Amino acid sequence: GQNIDQPTEMTATEGAIVQINCTYQTSGFNGLFWYQQHAGEAPTFLSYNVLDGLEEKGRFSSFLSRSKGYSYLLLKELQMKDSASYLCAVRDSNYQLIWGAGTKLIIKP
Amino acid sequence: TAGITQAPTSQILAAGRSMTLRCTQDMRHNAMYWYRQDLGLGLRLIHYSNTAGTTGKGEVPDGYSVSRANTDDFPLTLASAVPSQTSVYFCASSDSERGDSNEQFFGPGTRLTVL
């Protein structure tokens, strides 16, 4: 079966750095996505990785290792507005997205 | 730019009744999707459409039907609602089902409660 695993909840301090991990087992791989979802709102796109390595976008970076079935999202200089759920999704051999349950990130002052 | 809109925002529905959730996008995206999101579970694909005139079944299609008469609209119909269909429903669209990133853009969601 297909499976995406990520921690249910994480807590971090404003101004700090946090790493959210995602491991996956899917039928085929055609890219990995990270989305942010604030409570009661729609998911919004953060990043996309299809090749191994690190993609940096301002305070957010995403890393992929296809051989390990592993990705992480790194958030630097945390702000209170970063409190949200972070969703990992893998595009499988049918080009459909398989979604993890999301990691709820709580930022404390 | 409106992007992608959904209606209604929320609805309480009696079991056994039918309902259509509306979704419209103005981005001229060819691919559209319907997901449901339940607490503790990832987004699950109900139905999708790669282009106007075609539809396909996702992971959890039972009890739902869709149509794609044109590029912009992708309604989701519950023929006879059951309490297990209580969920938040998201419609999404993307520029193409294949190639490069083609991230999905999501509508604001419809919160449906079936009693």
Side-chain angles (χ1 to χ4, degrees), chain B residues 73-102:
Chain B
D73 301 301
F74 190 43
L76 176 74
T77 297
L78 288 68
S80 178
V82 295
S84 62
Q85 291 178 309
T86 294
S87 187
V88 179
Y89 291 85
F90 286 103
C91 180
S93 70
S94 66
D95 193 31
S96 174
E97 75 279 13
R98 296 180 184 275
D100 210 43
S101 85
N102 301 122

Side-chain angles (χ1 to χ4, degrees), chain A residues 30 33 35 37 40-45 48 50 87 91 93-102, chain B residues 33 35 37 40-43 45 48 50 90 97-108 111:
Chain A
N30 286 292
F33 296 78
Y35 280 75
Q37 185 177 25
E41 297 183 8
T44 55
F45 170 75
Y48 169 74
V50 67
L87 314 181
R91 189 160 58 194
S93 56
N94 294 318
Y95 281 79
Q96 300 299 346
L97 290 184
I98 308 301
W99 296 82
Chain B
Y33 314 85
Y35 293 96
Q37 187 175 41
L41 298 177
L43 288 160
L45 183 65
Y48 65 93
N50 289 334
F90 286 103
E97 75 279 13
R98 296 180 184 275
D100 210 43
S101 85
N102 301 122
E103 72 265 26
Q104 294 184 10
F105 295 83
F106 283 79
R111 184 173 296 274

Side-chain angles (χ1 to χ4, degrees), chain A residues 7 14 22-23 26 29 33-34 39 49 53 72 81 85 87 103:
Chain A
E14 189 177 17
C22 171
T23 58
T26 57
F29 178 86
F33 296 78
W34 284 96
N49 294 71
Y72 67 71
K81 67 178 182 179
S85 288
L87 314 181
T103 298

